[in-house]
Amino acid sequence: MRDQFIKTLTELAEKDPKIFLITGDLGFGVLTDFAKRFPNQFLNIGVAEQNMAGVAAGIALEGRTVYIYSIGNFPSLRCLEQIRNDACYHNANVKVVCIGGGFSYGALGMSHHATEDLAIMRSLPGVKVFAPSDLWETAEATKATASTPGVCYLRLDKSKADTVPLENESFKFGKLRTLKQGSSLALLSVGGITEVALEVSKKLDTLGISSSVISVHTLKPFDDDGLKDVIKNHKYLVTIEEHNLTGGLAGAVAESALMSQAYPSQFLRIGLQDTYSSVVGSQNYLRKYYNMDAEYILNRILKMVH
């Protein structure tokens, strides 16, 4: 997803000199070409994320579309006050890019696990929140951030679903995207862990349980009408997120369903419980440890439907 983001941003920068990228002293191999080609549209501000967000807001208020780029929690939580007060409050055209959502950098420990970012960025007024599940959504979400005024948050994962767009499919900002159509149960997922949702759905097929897989690439604004239709057409609803259960996808779905007075027969939430991920390991290891792997999810679903 990271490479796809840079590729798409490079294409945008070629056409629009107002595109500006600031990195917090990382991504050298990935950003080298961009820095060489667009020296007047690039800045390495060093390990100074708060300053990165403040400078980005200032440049944006001069008419630029500014992307700030770093790992996990560094471009979001570390500089949250600057994002809130400098960028959001002034509706500056700042795009916050997190590479390494969830457990992508699991081996580096809890400080690098982005497991509360979606909830926190959702809570900031006016911020649009994107979390693509595959490479096509990554490219399209990047374009959407460039064309959408104000502050956007783009969460990029190390993992991804291997899905491709349908012929003539267009990216619909703020809308749910159905990756697999079923009838009994709907799996709603956000980000790279959608690959697990698809794996679970295939296993359910072998057991005679028809399931849909739906990518929530735009968490805010949330597709209330789309969710209402999903609940209308499925008996069971399951949310899957590599994120704390509080305030992320499950929270957005619950809020939307209650406000729309649309109630599934049963609702299952898969994600990180209200705890810090203190264990260190690969992304797949941590998914299994924290009960987000396909085997665990399948067993929870079977208990729900039987």
Side-chain angles (χ1 to χ4, degrees), residues 242-283:
E242 204 164 295
H243 184 271
N244 194 299
L245 286 173
T246 302
L249 174 61
V253 167
E255 292 165 13
S256 177
L258 280 173
M259 291 303 295
S260 300
Q261 297 186 335
Y263 310 112
S265 294
Q266 293 196 55
F267 179 38
L268 173 63
R269 304 178 303 157
I270 300 294
L272 185 67
Q273 299 297 320
D274 191 22
T275 184
Y276 290 106
S277 49
S278 57
V279 175
V280 172
S282 70
Q283 188 170 30

Side-chain angles (χ1 to χ4, degrees), residues 1-305:
M1 287 189 186
R2 177 195 60 185
D3 293 347
Q4 184 64 59
F5 161 73
I6 292 299
K7 178 184 177 184
T8 306
L9 191 69
T10 299
E11 295 169 357
L12 293 170
E14 286 177 337
K15 301 173 183 175
D16 184 359
K18 292 182 179 179
I19 297 286
F20 199 97
L21 173 62
I22 305 177
T23 178
D25 203 34
L26 55 77
F28 298 112
V30 179
L31 304 181
T32 300
D33 180 65
F34 188 99
K36 286 183 178 178
R37 293 179 63 179
F38 311 107
N40 295 324
Q41 296 171 250
F42 176 79
L43 177 64
N44 179 3
I45 207 159
V47 185
E49 286 81 5
Q50 293 96 335
N51 194 35
M52 177 171 69
V55 169
I59 296 174
L61 292 175
E62 292 298 316
R64 297 288 192 104
T65 301
V66 186
Y67 288 78
I68 59 176
Y69 173 99
S70 190
I71 286 178
N73 299 313
F74 301 145
S76 55
L77 304 194
R78 180 172 286 179
C79 48
L80 181 58
E81 180 178 342
Q82 286 72 27
I83 292 173
R84 177 181 182 271
N85 295 359
D86 298 344
C88 296
Y89 184 67
H90 296 93
N91 197 32
N93 221 5
V94 173
K95 319 301 175 184
V96 182
V97 181
C98 154
I99 57 168
F103 299 136
S104 293
Y105 287 94
L108 299 183
M110 189 276 282
S111 63
H112 287 62
H113 299 170
T115 50
E116 301 89 24
D117 56 321
L118 293 175
I120 290 170
M121 299 308 289
R122 268 189 74 218
S123 71
L124 296 175
V127 175
K128 288 80 177 175
V129 178
F130 298 86
S133 67
D134 62 21
L135 295 183
W136 180 74
E137 288 184 4
T138 300
E140 296 301 314
T142 302
K143 295 173 188 173
T145 61
S147 61
T148 303
V151 178
C152 297
Y153 180 64
L154 179 60
R155 186 202 219 215
L156 304 177
D157 203 304
K158 187 173 284 187
S159 67
K160 61 176 176 57
D162 291 326
T163 45
V164 295
L166 300 173
E167 187 175 356
N168 298 322
E169 182 175 4
S170 59
F171 183 81
K172 297 177 181 176
F173 167 60
K175 296 294 182 183
L176 303 179
R177 178 182 175 220
T178 300
L179 302 178
K180 179 176 179 291
Q181 186 65 60
S183 58
S184 177
L185 182 146
L187 299 161
L188 278 77
S189 63
V190 62
I193 201 170
T194 298
E195 65 176 355
V196 176
L198 289 163
E199 182 181 352
V200 171
S201 182
K202 288 181 180 177
K203 292 178 183 294
L204 289 170
D205 286 343
T206 66
L207 300 172
I209 300 173
S210 176
S211 60
S212 299
V213 179
I214 298 162
S215 170
V216 188
H217 54 64
T218 312
L219 198 57
K220 184 185 175 185
F222 191 79
D223 186 1
D224 297 317
D225 291 337
L227 179 66
K228 195 172 181 179
D229 287 341
V230 169
I231 294 174
K232 179 182 177 182
N233 294 315
H234 300 81
K235 185 176 181 180
Y236 305 102
L237 195 63
V238 180
T239 57
I240 302 174
E241 57 192 312
E242 204 164 295
H243 184 271
N244 194 299
L245 286 173
T246 302
L249 174 61
V253 167
E255 292 165 13
S256 177
L258 280 173
M259 291 303 295
S260 300
Q261 297 186 335
Y263 310 112
S265 294
Q266 293 196 55
F267 179 38
L268 173 63
R269 304 178 303 157
I270 300 294
L272 185 67
Q273 299 297 320
D274 191 22
T275 184
Y276 290 106
S277 49
S278 57
V279 175
V280 172
S282 70
Q283 188 170 30
N284 285 335
Y285 177 82
L286 293 180
R287 283 176 180 172
K288 186 174 181 62
Y289 186 89
Y290 288 108
N291 296 328
M292 302 176 201
D293 63 306
E295 181 181 358
Y296 175 84
I297 296 171
L298 180 66
N299 288 331
R300 285 292 306 273
I301 289 173
L302 293 179
K303 288 181 181 177
M304 178 175 67
V305 302

